[in-house]
Amino acid sequence: MSDTGFDLSGSSDLDPSFALVSGSQAMCEALFRRYTTPNGTLFYDPRYGRDVRAYLGVGLTPMKRAQLVRAMEDQAYQDERVDEVTITITDGVDGAVTIEVAGLTGEGPFRLVMEASASLVTALAME
């Protein structure tokens, strides 16, 4: 078990005030960045990232849903701070989905809730 440490705040971009986050907030922001970064675009870590939007453009079939869950779990477990993770996907309106990421680190539980469509991912909760 490792602690989550500290990081600069920012899920899609750096906080202009350079605020620091830790605990579950730091974990949620780190995972949100992983889930909105296309795989292979981080030059020093080609395994980093799995943009959930890539799975939503042509409809989320049961097979694609299972692939998305597996890809998101894989990304979460690449972060050494994550001990356990569960991904739940709920259908929304017009092809959008709500994704809940519930997990455990050495510091305790965390919960990230996102709404995702083929063009946009929004964080609804980071706890």
Side-chain angles (χ1 to χ4, degrees), residues 31-101:
L31 287 177
F32 186 84
R33 287 188 298 271
R34 279 185 178 272
Y35 297 148
T36 57
T37 300
N39 187 254
T41 59
L42 193 59
F43 75 91
Y44 59 87
D45 187 356
R47 292 185 55 215
Y48 181 94
R50 187 63 64 178
D51 194 339
V52 300
R53 293 170 284 201
Y55 291 83
L56 302 175
V58 292
L60 199 56
T61 65
M63 180 181 284
K64 281 192 178 257
R65 182 182 300 261
Q67 290 171 343
L68 175 56
V69 167
R70 180 67 191 122
M72 291 180 73
E73 289 171 344
D74 179 59
Q75 284 298 308
Y77 285 124
Q78 283 184 42
D79 190 312
E80 64 191 23
R81 300 170 292 183
V82 175
D83 295 326
E84 296 176 24
V85 70
T86 302
I87 312 287
T88 305
I89 300 175
T90 307
D91 292 328
V93 179
D94 295 329
V97 295
T98 300
I99 303 171
E100 181 175 356
V101 182

Side-chain angles (χ1 to χ4, degrees), residues 7-22 25-26 29 32-33 126:
D7 200 358
L8 290 172
S9 181
S11 40
S12 59
D13 201 358
L14 283 176
D15 180 314
S17 68
F18 295 103
L20 292 177
V21 292
S22 63
Q25 182 71 26
E29 287 187 14
F32 186 84
R33 287 188 298 271
M126 293 185 178

